[in-house]
Amino acid sequence: MKKYKTTIDSKSDEFKKRKTYMEKLLDELKAKSESTKSHDPSRVERLLKKGKYPVREKISKVLDKGAPVTEIGLFAADGMYKEIKGGYKSGGVVTVIGEISGKKCVVVANDPLVKSGAWVEISCKKNLRAQEIAMENHLPIIYMVDSAGVNLEHQAEIFPDKEHFGRIFRNNAKLAAMGIPQISCVFGYCVAGGAYLPAMSSEMAMITGNASMFLAGPFLVKAALGQENDAESLGGAEMHNAVSGVADYQFDTEDEAFEWIREQMALIGSKQKLGLDRIEPKDPSLDPEELLGILPNNLGDKYDIRDIIARIVDESKIEEYKAQYGKTIVTCFARLGGFSVGIVANQGKPVKKEMPPDHTGKSQPPQIQMGNVIFSDSANKATSFIMLCNERKIPLIFLQDVTGFMVGTKAENEGIIKDGAKFVNVQANSVVPKFTVILRNSFGAGNYAMCGKAYDPRLIIGWPTTRLAVMDSGIAANTVLLTKKNLSEDEKKEFYEKIKKKYDEEMSPYYVAARLMLDAVIDPRDTRNILIQGLEVAENNPDMPEFVTGTLRI
């Protein structure tokens, strides 16, 4: 592999301008992160008086110190549920990928300071995403349960569709059948259907005095049966350990439960690994700090995607595949954390395509192709590269900054539909671990071909510059405006601004992250470490089905 020679000048005015813009976005990211993680101090104090820790402190006490941690869905429900005081921070559930006793795992913890841990649609969707990550990567999953069950005012969002609450228990059963450990501890309430989650786990513990678990609480039991009960006698830790046998362990403090979780994780035996190729990792030769000054703040300006790749991969070395062909997509082999990887990335600048002589032998001028657009040749190159990586069991990383597939008479005559279909076909049928980073634009079918959420990336993360929608806001507004025939010029202007504003709001990284279309919004400098953690996690699943595409139209 060749060490990439960058043309970036970190002392130039343009670099400084771009870096200043990114730093402003990172300040916003930091502020939103801190606000999302915070709670009213008086409520936290009341929690502590009960002998209970705040949810993120609870998680940190079981995770290995210094080991990499990635929080999934920090901004879940951001800006949603505005009718609820304080909103629904992180969807009332905190999920992370981390390590306990040296073992990679997923941790899911209810936040009792968000509506007593009651579930809405996003809470359910977030739990399902955590289970999906555990299944895809064969990771043990830890449930820290403290939930009042379904938020009854929002029950229609969560019952009874395929991706609703019942799917969680279905996944409990599937995880068990796959031999994936599920360890539950009930720290507080565990009510109604939610009681099945710990009951379907491999092992379950409860905390004396704080934990209670029942299908119907004291008020519902009295209303339905006329029986008088308190929470402890109906479903407390002592009853479920000594009488019903539902629980396996009882602890007097949360700290004892944390130690039990760590001990149980330590007892889990090792399994066969996937067997990805990995050598001793080496840091990038080019400074990852410079990632902040590469992406333009003006959408019309250009950049070379190789400058980003080279600041993420080991020793800044890449080996391009078909470097002179299909130049609006860069395909290359590299090492990342020592792992062999294949990278598919949209190019961020116009590129020159040499044209063959015409039928008379007369030379033709080169064609300038727009960057960030997928042409037929780029689609065919990417298709071939993805197949090659699947043949060789090489994980794939997709760096998205794509406005879509090329349109127009020439593109249609060249067969852009069938070439795009081949790209999407191999993407859908790819079996190696895949990871997606959205750098900026992720529009239309370009999102699909470049491994958007619908195409099962193990992780999908975005920079604060992410814009995810069916198309650019201005183009969308103009397109819709063409259907409005009887508007005055003032009405057209007002309508255009209305549609554009709506699109701009809906394509923001926080809007899409709130709905879990992104697993996380990240600092660009964290890209390398998160991808390395993802690759290490993917190694835990030794199963890889045969790569088959079926018929590809040629």
Side-chain angles (χ1 to χ4, degrees):
M1 295 184 189
K2 302 178 184 68
K3 188 171 289 187
Y4 177 70
K5 294 181 179 179
T6 185
T7 57
I8 294 292
D9 179 5
S10 60
K11 293 183 174 60
S12 70
D13 290 340
E14 182 61 30
F15 179 91
K16 291 174 182 176
K17 182 172 71 173
R18 295 180 181 189
K19 184 179 179 183
T20 299
Y21 175 70
M22 182 64 81
E23 286 174 336
K24 179 182 176 183
L25 295 180
L26 290 177
D27 287 342
E28 181 186 1
L29 172 60
K30 182 180 179 181
K32 284 186 74 70
S33 298
E34 291 174 351
S35 173
T36 301
K37 293 177 181 179
S38 68
H39 285 297
D40 181 343
S42 64
R43 298 186 66 209
V44 174
E45 185 63 29
R46 287 197 296 271
L47 195 71
L48 293 170
K49 285 180 179 178
K50 294 179 181 178
K52 301 174 71 171
Y53 291 101
V55 65
R56 286 184 174 81
E57 188 174 348
K58 189 183 297 182
I59 292 173
S60 70
K61 285 182 175 293
V62 298
L63 294 176
D64 293 351
K65 307 303 179 190
V69 181
T70 299
E71 181 166 347
I72 303 298
L74 170 62
F75 298 115
D78 180 63
M80 303 169 68
Y81 304 100
K82 294 178 181 178
E83 74 283 2
I84 297 173
K85 185 179 179 181
Y88 237 89
K89 291 187 175 185
S90 294
V93 183
V94 178
T95 59
V96 304
I97 302 171
E99 289 183 21
I100 299 176
S101 300
K103 312 283 175 56
K104 309 284 185 188
C105 64
V106 177
V107 181
V108 181
N110 303 117
D111 189 347
L113 295 182
V114 179
K115 296 294 285 185
S116 299
W119 294 52
V120 289
E121 180 185 18
I122 294 299
S123 320
C124 183
K125 189 174 180 181
K126 191 168 176 180
N127 202 113
L128 291 172
R129 176 60 178 146
Q131 290 179 320
E132 180 181 51
I133 290 171
M135 285 191 278
E136 286 177 334
N137 300 289
H138 282 211
L139 297 180
I141 184 166
I142 314 300
Y143 303 108
M144 295 180 165
V145 183
D146 195 342
S147 171
V150 171
N151 185 322
L152 296 179
E153 296 178 51
H154 293 266
Q155 67 84 27
E157 300 176 0
I158 202 167
F159 179 86
D161 208 348
K162 181 178 179 180
E163 301 302 326
H164 283 175
F165 205 61
R167 187 76 172 185
I168 294 169
F169 314 137
R170 175 263 189 194
N171 286 352
N172 286 137
K174 292 292 186 181
L175 283 155
M178 295 169 70
I180 296 174
Q182 300 175 81
I183 300 170
S184 287
C185 185
V186 181
F187 289 87
Y189 289 121
C190 184
V191 181
Y196 289 113
L197 186 149
M200 296 183 74
S201 298
S202 318
E203 290 181 292
M204 188 185 111
M206 297 180 73
I207 308 298
T208 305
N210 284 333
S212 56
M213 180 178 175
F214 28 64
L215 296 182
F219 293 121
L220 182 53
V221 168
K222 183 176 181 180
L225 302 176
Q227 295 177 359
E228 294 277 358
N229 289 285
D230 58 27
E232 189 63 32
S233 61
L234 185 62
E238 187 171 341
M239 191 283 289
H240 277 309
N241 273 273
V243 180
S244 73
V246 170
D248 306 309
Y249 305 88
Q250 181 178 348
F251 301 106
D252 293 330
T253 68
E254 291 193 349
D255 288 303
E256 291 176 285
F258 302 148
E259 188 58 34
W260 168 73
I261 291 170
R262 291 188 55 77
E263 288 172 352
Q264 294 306 306
M265 284 292 294
L267 293 171
I268 296 173
S270 61
K271 289 186 175 182
Q272 180 184 351
K273 299 286 187 179
L274 178 57
L276 301 177
D277 184 72
R278 190 180 196 185
I279 61 175
E280 186 70 24
K282 295 182 179 179
D283 292 336
S285 299
L286 296 172
D287 188 358
E289 285 289 323
E290 293 177 345
L291 287 170
L292 302 188
I294 296 174
L295 208 59
N297 55 311
N298 185 330
L299 292 172
D301 291 344
K302 62 184 182 179
Y303 69 98
D304 194 324
I305 188 62
R306 299 174 188 86
D307 283 315
I308 290 176
I309 296 171
R311 286 163 176 82
I312 294 172
V313 300
D314 291 10
E315 298 185 282
S316 301
K317 289 182 176 180
I318 60 175
E319 188 68 53
E320 275 202 62
Y321 171 78
K322 289 185 177 290
Q324 302 305 315
Y325 180 76
K327 293 182 180 180
T328 65
I329 285 182
V330 171
T331 51
C332 63
F333 295 106
R335 293 276 178 183
L336 185 59
F339 286 101
S340 160
V341 296
I343 297 173
V344 182
N346 303 111
Q347 180 56 290
K349 64 178 183 178
V351 297
K352 185 167 68 173
K353 179 182 179 182
E354 299 298 334
M355 302 300 293
D358 65 14
H359 66 284
T360 66
K362 183 180 178 182
S363 63
Q364 299 280 2
Q367 180 187 104
I368 304 300
Q369 296 182 334
M370 292 180 287
N372 310 109
V373 178
I374 303 174
F375 290 78
S376 282
D377 53 0
S378 302
N380 286 327
K381 177 170 82 169
T383 297
S384 178
F385 186 72
I386 292 171
M387 295 175 76
L388 192 61
C389 288
N390 275 270
E391 175 190 84
R392 299 179 179 182
K393 203 159 78 170
I394 298 174
L396 282 159
I397 293 168
F398 295 88
L399 303 180
Q400 287 195 16
D401 183 5
V402 59
T403 53
F405 284 88
M406 188 58 190
V407 296
T409 304
K410 188 174 187 302
E412 298 292 0
N413 287 343
E414 290 178 347
I416 189 65
I417 293 175
K418 67 176 175 61
D419 295 328
K422 285 185 288 186
F423 193 172
V424 172
N425 186 312
V426 298
Q427 184 65 269
N429 287 295
S430 178
V431 296
V432 295
K434 301 184 294 186
F435 304 88
T436 301
V437 184
I438 302 179
L439 308 179
R440 189 168 60 171
N441 295 329
S442 180
F443 293 159
N447 168 274
Y448 304 156
M450 290 293 294
C451 199
K453 186 70 179 291
Y455 290 81
D456 301 320
R458 298 290 178 95
L459 286 175
I460 179 167
I461 54 181
W463 288 9
T465 40
T466 291
R467 302 165 76 238
L468 201 159
V470 70
M471 63 180 69
D472 177 76
S473 58
I475 294 174
N478 278 323
T479 302
V480 178
L481 197 58
L482 290 173
T483 68
K484 308 295 180 182
K485 303 294 185 183
N486 300 315
L487 299 180
S488 67
E489 288 305 312
D490 286 344
E491 287 172 330
K492 286 181 179 180
K493 182 178 179 180
E494 182 181 350
F495 185 83
Y496 173 89
E497 292 299 332
K498 178 183 175 182
I499 296 296
K500 186 177 185 304
K501 180 181 178 182
K502 183 175 187 293
Y503 261 74
D504 286 338
E505 290 173 353
E506 292 177 351
M507 69 171 61
S508 85
Y510 302 109
Y511 184 95
V512 296
R515 290 149 183 84
L516 297 180
M517 300 171 206
L518 281 181
D519 289 323
V521 183
I522 69 162
D523 185 320
R525 294 167 293 190
D526 293 334
T527 306
R528 172 179 166 87
N529 288 337
I530 291 175
L531 289 175
I532 291 172
Q533 186 189 23
L535 289 161
E536 290 174 342
V537 162
E539 271 261 271
N540 284 274
N541 185 352
D543 301 325
M544 186 180 291
E546 182 183 0
F547 174 62
V548 180
T549 64
T551 302
L552 297 176
R553 298 176 66 82
I554 60 172

